[in-house]
Amino acid sequence: MNTKVSVMQLTSVVALGGLLFGYDTAVISGATDALQNYFQLTSTELGFAASSALIGCVVGAILSGVTSSRWGRRGALILAAILFLISAIGSAIPDDYWTFVIYRIIGGIGVGLASMVSPMYIAEVSPPDRRGGLVACNQFAIIFGMLVVYFVNYGIALLGTETWLYNTGWRYMFASETIPAGFFLIFLYFIPETPRWLAMKGRDNEAHYLLKALNSGRNIDSQWKDIKDSLKDKSRVSIAASGFMGVLVIGIMLSVLQQVTGINVFLYYAPTILKGFSSSSIDIALLQTILVGAVNLTFTVIAIITVDKFGRRPLMMIGATLMALSMFAIGTAAYMNAIGGYLLIFVLLYIAAFALSLGPVVWVLLSEIFPNKIRSKALSIAVFAQWIANFAVSQTFPMMNDHDSMIYQSFNGGFPFWFYGAMGVFTVFFIYRWVPETKGRSLEELEQLWDKQHHQSSDVVAHH
């Protein structure tokens, strides 16, 4: 078996979970105006329609730890694929607001599962020197899914008049997800479990064989020993008792900061925001949204190429700095009533910086920093926090951007962008102060790094 081909094949299949993550979360961006018109929604109801899937994402994140530990990484992804299919069909047929919301929540559960399990699976089958780039492929798939659905939405919008789009066209947008979801479900039946999950379940022969196949031409003795050593303690202990509470806090903070720097404001509400920047029609705004997706994809590819070369910290700090500057510029332009098409430059700079840094690299870090014996549980908690933050941002932005709100009138629409910019500045400080460099180390070597730091801090406390 060719090592490179085998690892890439597994990554390609599992990254379809990422593609559906992006597809499902962004499909609503082209339908927000239609939904508001069809269901006669207030700005708060529209915010909930757009963010209702995130309730499911939170539920999916909670379930992902238990599901991926009990049924395996592959089993959890199969469940996610089934939920994507149900949601795609159900979201396309409702005639009332709450039925639509329920099916969006079901899809969100699938997203929550895939968002945690896909990068974890890829991390657990990847060689240390390629892990960053391979896990970042999942982020590429997320962005690719978003870009594909932007094209799909734009194409559907061109099929008829605006009246047709508002009455019927939006249903085709949601139904289109059945195609990638069906392929994902089929392909998952042809991939194995991860070596580390098999080892956790005592299936050592299968685990060793698969690890050897994935590392063809390499000596896996030391890696296998590290895996077995990391799983020696069979007792079920809480994360706090395991001594890894500090790394969990770092994981949670990285998850939250990825969201509160404002990315999903542009991904979910891009057509609405871009229409506000100029007098463009909805079709032009959707076309500009495709440009946003293309920039996102291009710079994610650059991150994939560079994350194992330059490391996680430099990319994160440079990217967060550019994101903050872009948000401050957009907020200031709004406050000074200097809105214009030129702001698309700052939107694209922000998207490029995110795609180079917080987008892929946070997922890389989350997939690799947690020890084997608590990875499922800790990663599910971190991803749960991420979806809570995502929901909060997605729910509050339409309210802050409502022209009748006190916040909007006080700051002329600039406040939310200034807030996201301030969070970008804090992100730079947090990474500089608390996030270590992880490139080129095996998952078990990183576990030893955290274990060493824990003992050092314990010694300091004991000394004082």
Side-chain angles (χ1 to χ4, degrees):
M1 186 189 292
N2 184 302
T3 311
K4 184 175 181 179
V5 171
S6 65
V7 175
M8 281 307 300
Q9 284 175 341
L10 296 181
T11 300
S12 298
V13 170
V14 173
L16 273 174
L19 184 143
L20 281 156
F21 171 166
Y23 201 105
D24 190 270
T25 52
V27 65
I28 201 166
S29 69
T32 50
D33 285 351
L35 290 170
Q36 188 165 25
N37 181 275
Y38 187 86
F39 293 119
Q40 294 297 299
L41 305 179
T42 65
S43 60
T44 301
E45 288 171 332
L46 176 62
F48 189 70
S51 59
S52 58
L54 302 179
I55 297 172
C57 294
V58 170
V59 174
I62 294 170
L63 296 175
S64 61
V66 175
T67 307
S68 61
S69 291
R70 184 173 300 173
W71 296 346
R73 293 23 172 165
R74 175 174 169 269
L77 289 171
I78 288 173
L79 175 59
I82 293 169
L83 294 172
F84 283 131
L85 271 172
I86 294 171
S87 174
I89 297 168
S91 299
I93 60 174
D95 282 321
D96 68 275
Y97 174 69
W98 287 107
T99 302
F100 173 80
V101 166
I102 288 168
Y103 279 111
R104 288 295 292 158
I105 290 172
I106 290 171
I109 297 173
V111 173
L113 285 167
S115 68
M116 184 280 238
V117 183
S118 290
M120 179 169 67
Y121 183 106
I122 296 169
E124 290 190 346
V125 300
S126 301
D129 58 336
R130 296 171 58 206
R131 187 178 60 245
L134 288 170
V135 173
C137 285
N138 188 66
Q139 179 69 16
F140 172 87
I142 294 171
I143 304 310
F144 186 69
M146 290 179 173
L147 185 59
V148 167
V149 82
Y150 291 154
F151 275 108
V152 170
N153 284 349
Y154 182 60
I156 290 170
L158 294 179
L159 291 177
T161 63
E162 190 173 87
T163 302
W164 173 84
L165 177 65
Y166 284 2
N167 290 326
T168 306
W170 63 269
R171 298 181 186 276
Y172 289 87
M173 294 178 178
F174 292 102
S176 66
E177 192 181 341
T178 55
I179 297 171
F183 279 117
F184 186 42
L185 183 60
I186 293 167
F187 291 156
L188 283 172
Y189 281 96
F190 298 98
I191 68 168
E193 266 301 343
T194 71
R196 287 170 175 86
W197 184 81
L198 292 169
M200 281 173 61
K201 296 299 177 182
R203 295 159 62 176
D204 287 4
N205 289 339
E206 293 174 74
H208 189 272
Y209 176 82
L210 183 57
L211 189 68
K212 191 171 184 178
L214 292 169
N215 291 273
S216 178
R218 305 184 189 202
N219 188 322
I220 64 163
D221 291 345
S222 62
Q223 191 177 357
W224 177 248
K225 181 180 181 299
D226 286 343
I227 291 173
K228 291 300 293 177
D229 287 346
S230 73
L231 298 171
K232 270 182 181 176
D233 184 6
K234 297 281 186 180
S235 60
R236 298 185 65 175
V237 294
S238 67
I239 295 174
S242 70
F244 291 105
M245 196 64 192
V247 66
L248 176 62
V249 172
I250 290 175
I252 290 171
M253 286 298 297
L254 287 171
S255 283
V256 171
L257 289 170
Q258 186 196 56
Q259 298 303 313
V260 297
T261 44
I263 182 59
N264 283 318
V265 164
F266 288 124
L267 298 184
Y268 296 166
Y269 299 106
T272 303
I273 293 170
L274 294 171
K275 276 178 69 180
F277 285 168
S278 63
S279 58
S280 61
S281 69
I282 185 67
D283 284 354
I284 297 299
L286 282 169
L287 194 59
Q288 290 175 328
T289 303
I290 291 173
L291 180 61
V292 167
V295 170
N296 205 344
L297 195 71
T298 301
F299 282 85
T300 300
V301 172
I302 295 173
I304 291 171
I305 295 169
T306 58
V307 69
D308 284 316
K309 183 178 181 181
F310 298 131
R312 285 54 160 156
R313 277 167 54 91
L315 289 183
M316 294 267 280
M317 292 173 69
I318 292 169
T321 300
L322 292 174
M323 288 164 63
L325 291 174
S326 301
M327 281 297 194
F328 285 136
I330 293 169
T332 302
Y335 179 72
M336 297 176 67
N337 205 24
I339 295 295
Y342 73 95
L343 285 179
L344 183 62
I345 295 170
F346 289 107
V347 172
L348 296 180
L349 175 61
Y350 174 90
I351 294 292
F354 177 85
L356 188 64
S357 58
L358 268 64
V361 183
V362 164
W363 286 110
V364 170
L365 284 164
L366 290 178
S367 70
E368 66 188 6
I369 61 176
F370 300 120
N372 285 329
K373 59 188 174 185
I374 65 164
R375 182 171 298 120
S376 293
K377 189 185 296 184
L379 188 51
S380 70
I381 293 170
V383 174
F384 167 76
Q386 183 171 127
W387 286 115
I388 289 289
N390 187 323
F391 176 79
V393 171
S394 302
Q395 185 66 31
T396 55
F397 177 75
M399 292 187 277
M400 288 192 290
N401 202 46
D402 186 340
H403 289 219
D404 294 328
S405 72
M406 187 181 298
I407 291 177
Y408 186 93
Q409 292 176 353
S410 299
F411 298 97
N412 204 27
F415 178 80
F417 300 102
W418 286 339
F419 175 77
Y420 304 139
M423 290 297 99
V425 173
F426 177 74
T427 299
V428 176
F429 168 75
F430 180 81
I431 294 164
Y432 175 78
R433 179 67 180 81
W434 281 292
V435 179
E437 184 55 69
T438 58
K439 71 169 183 175
R441 302 174 189 240
S442 73
L443 297 177
E444 288 69 36
E445 285 173 338
L446 291 173
E447 182 171 339
Q448 292 164 15
L449 169 69
W450 296 117
D451 203 29
K452 182 179 178 182
Q453 287 188 359
H454 169 68
H455 287 304
Q456 285 177 342
S457 61
S458 298
D459 290 343
V460 170
V461 172
H463 177 73
H464 285 290

